[in-house]
Amino acid sequence: MEPTFSVVIPTYNRAQLLARTVRAFLAQDGVPFEVIVVDDGSTDATPEVLAGFRDPRLRVLRQPNAGLASARNAGLLQARGQYVLFNDDDIVPEAGFLQAHLALHRRYPSAAAVSRTYIPDGVGQEPFVRFWRARAESGVRGRAEGASLGWGGFWFASLSLPLGVAEAFVPFRGYGWEEHELGWRLWRKGVRPRLALKARAAHEDRVSLEVMVAKSRSLGRMAWQFYRLHPHPLVALWTGVHPLARAYKRWAYPWARAERLLQVRDWEAGAGAFAAYRFVLEAAYTQGLLEGKDG
């Protein structure tokens, strides 16, 4: 029987997280599927962990380390299902996950189905984790099953779409915008991202302020690669590369203030911590925008 879903999981050096995610997918029922894990040059115990699964629905591809886009593209090329579901190795699906994706596709045949991910309590209760949890879930809070998420709603960390409309990812030189760039292309083809509210999955990523500052700064730099691929006014405004947007961000989010906040972090225990976190991340993104202009 041909699979209804081809689940593509790229991974790099996260053996234990990967084991939880693969185990949760292999426990899904009610829908024929295959799981394609693309090991992007891992040097940890990933090969041994994958060898421990004895299930014909699991296929493993290995390649030299080439990045997330390359790993996803390799899995896409091997997909045989009616739908391809991209799922990061730290996003653990709950029971009924694939059935919920299928139900949304039947309701909206040409849509991309975005999973309802959440950051579980076990990831942590530190101030920044609580901030990130609230921020990550704000985009879907209060939305109904099948709600349209707009052109920025393509979150390929856990998203499915008909195999026939799927396209390859463009590798970026750093972290950021690869998913949105493909989403922009799909949106212009008429594919709309919709929330699969019942497709719940725990995002087990242990975030920290330092890591997210680095990622935000890279996002700012990579905004220019996105814009150069798609020099559209909406992309310029969306990413902030537009001259007026950059001028505003430079004024509103000075990097010097962010550096002071990062040096002395006693403010994290105060009532204004969430606002300070937002400022620091915006300042990091702005700094990346300014750095990437001539890159």
Side-chain angles (χ1 to χ4, degrees):
M1 179 184 296
E2 288 298 307
T4 301
F5 283 95
S6 293
V7 179
V8 174
I9 304 176
T11 192
Y12 176 70
N13 281 352
R14 296 214 281 191
Q16 297 310 311
L17 273 175
L18 174 66
R20 288 187 60 185
T21 301
V22 170
R23 193 176 300 114
F25 270 108
L26 294 178
Q28 298 288 310
D29 57 18
V31 182
F33 65 91
E34 63 178 354
V35 176
I36 304 171
V37 174
V38 184
D39 180 0
D40 189 39
S42 295
T43 57
D44 65 354
T46 293
E48 291 78 13
V49 165
L50 291 172
F53 289 100
R54 306 290 183 181
D55 194 307
R57 296 171 297 177
L58 174 63
R59 298 161 61 197
V60 178
L61 308 178
R62 293 191 174 89
Q63 64 179 33
N65 182 250
L68 181 60
S70 173
R72 285 171 168 166
N73 290 341
L76 176 62
L77 286 173
Q78 296 296 318
R80 301 175 300 172
Q82 183 180 354
Y83 305 99
V84 58
L85 191 152
F86 295 100
N87 198 93
D88 284 357
D89 57 11
D90 59 358
I91 295 182
V92 182
E94 294 183 355
F97 182 82
L98 290 179
Q99 289 176 311
H101 271 267
L102 182 58
L104 190 137
H105 284 299
R106 285 174 172 169
R107 183 178 174 189
Y108 302 101
S110 63
V114 181
S115 307
R116 171 64 173 97
T117 59
Y118 64 94
I119 299 174
D121 290 344
V123 168
Q125 293 298 326
E126 299 85 359
F128 184 75
V129 175
R130 289 190 285 107
F131 161 77
W132 195 251
R133 181 180 290 116
R135 174 170 170 157
E137 298 180 9
S138 64
V140 299
R141 189 176 299 117
R143 292 179 179 264
E145 173 76 13
S148 179
L149 299 177
W151 68 55
F154 289 88
W155 191 37
F156 284 89
S158 186
L159 174 149
S160 66
L161 69 164
L163 183 61
V165 303
E167 297 184 7
F169 291 84
V170 172
F172 276 45
R173 296 187 301 274
Y175 173 85
W177 293 110
E178 286 179 345
E179 297 177 351
H180 295 92
E181 188 277 330
L182 176 51
W184 175 259
R185 284 185 274 137
L186 292 173
W187 178 273
R188 301 191 80 183
K189 288 175 59 176
V191 179
R192 298 293 181 259
R194 292 185 177 274
L195 177 62
L197 191 65
K198 298 176 183 178
R200 286 173 50 88
H203 193 178
E204 298 284 354
D205 188 19
R206 294 186 177 274
V207 295
S208 69
L209 178 58
E210 293 80 6
V211 168
M212 295 316 300
V213 165
K215 286 187 173 182
S216 295
R217 199 161 176 171
S218 180
L219 271 166
R221 291 192 295 267
M222 292 305 101
W224 290 97
Q225 184 173 347
F226 185 9
Y227 177 67
R228 287 166 186 143
L229 288 168
H230 305 283
H232 191 284
L234 288 177
V235 174
L237 291 170
W238 182 16
T239 60
V241 305
H242 190 281
L244 291 178
R246 274 186 286 127
Y248 170 76
K249 286 178 176 292
R250 185 199 294 264
W251 170 79
Y253 304 106
W255 180 240
R257 182 187 167 198
E259 286 184 310
R260 291 194 296 272
L261 288 169
L262 289 168
Q263 288 169 1
V264 181
R265 291 169 55 174
D266 52 359
W267 49 268
E268 290 187 275
F274 279 23
Y277 288 136
R278 283 191 291 270
F279 176 86
V280 168
L281 294 179
E282 285 288 350
Y285 183 85
T286 300
Q287 187 69 4
L289 274 178
L290 299 177
E291 293 166 348
K293 181 178 184 298
D294 300 318

